[in-house]
Amino acid sequence: MTEIQLQISAVTWLWNTYPATRLLFFHVPNGGSRNAIEGMQLKAPGVVAGIPDRILIHVGLAYGFEYKTLTGKVSPSQAKVHQVWQQDVRQSISFAH
């Protein structure tokens, strides 16, 4: 199964099982091959490399889902985003006391 097939399977299951998530679970199309002009046009309004494949908004919180096949690997930009998000969560929790 490819990464996109995994994503399609997850979205299909979630949207069919929990239809209310259709506007809360979505894809941010950051990936793919781009030429230099397209890359600049996407970066200028805020596209960020490494953002998770899918985002879920639930009860005021955002969750990122990164899909990989058994042989897939997290890229350096994805690892950096994961690190920053995890650090932010730790800081948010510590401020919540």
Side-chain angles (χ1 to χ4, degrees):
M1 186 176 278
T2 67
E3 188 176 301
I4 193 69
Q5 289 171 326
L6 287 170
Q7 293 179 35
I8 291 168
S9 178
V11 167
T12 300
W13 177 85
L14 187 67
W15 284 4
N16 288 336
T17 306
Y18 301 100
T21 63
R22 290 185 183 190
L23 297 178
L24 302 172
F25 187 63
F26 52 89
H27 173 63
V28 179
N30 285 356
S33 299
R34 314 264 189 224
N35 65 41
I37 293 171
E38 285 177 307
M40 288 184 344
Q41 289 173 336
L42 292 171
K43 285 181 184 179
V47 166
V48 176
I51 294 298
D53 296 319
R54 303 282 169 185
I55 307 293
L56 171 66
I57 307 298
H58 180 67
V59 193
L61 299 173
Y63 299 88
F65 294 82
E66 188 64 54
Y67 293 82
K68 296 294 177 203
T69 63
L70 294 175
T71 58
K73 295 180 182 174
V74 174
S75 72
S77 60
Q78 290 168 332
K80 180 67 175 172
V81 168
H82 297 173
Q83 177 186 9
V84 169
W85 282 29
Q86 288 170 353
Q87 182 62 37
D88 186 64
V89 167
R90 280 191 221 103
Q91 290 173 359
S92 297
I93 291 170
S94 67
F95 288 126
H97 294 280

